[in-house]
Amino acid sequence: MQMTAKYCSNCDHILHADKYHCPICYTDELELMELSGYGEVYSYTKIHAAPKSLAHLAPYFIILVDLAEGLRVTARYQGEDLEIGKRVQLKEVDGRAYVFGDV
Ligand SMILES: [Zn+2]
């Protein structure tokens, strides 16, 4: 499963793939890199009243994941037992949404 970020070839900073300049050294010399897809749950919330396009999934969890590479991303969680600090793994990319599950 592919998850990408950008890597600053000037100062080694890793940043989200939609960025065009490094926030540390301001260079635009960025390269695409592939992320491991592993991380830990930083926080989460359970969605009961979902938007129409996701109503069939409700109730579901939205999680903040601290990735192994140091970035924090928002994702959906596929599974039952969820707690802060739990290790999770990218399972699929649904449109523009990351979906994580148990390792
Ligand atoms: Zn930089």
Side-chain angles (χ1 to χ4, degrees), residues 1-5 14 33-40 65-71 87-91 100 103:
M1 198 51 55
Q2 192 167 356
M3 192 174 199
T4 57
I14 295 174
M33 63 176 283
E34 195 163 329
L35 298 171
S36 65
Y38 288 93
E40 279 186 5
V65 183
D66 282 341
L67 298 173
E69 291 83 359
L71 292 177
R87 294 254 307 143
V88 289
Q89 176 182 12
L90 182 69
K91 296 295 184 185
F100 279 75
V103 173

Side-chain angles (χ1 to χ4, degrees), residues 7-13 15 21-27 29-30:
Y7 169 81
C8 175
S9 53
N10 190 45
C11 76
D12 298 342
H13 188 66
L15 54 163
H21 289 87
C22 175
I24 306 299
C25 71
Y26 308 113
T27 185
E29 292 171 21
L30 306 176

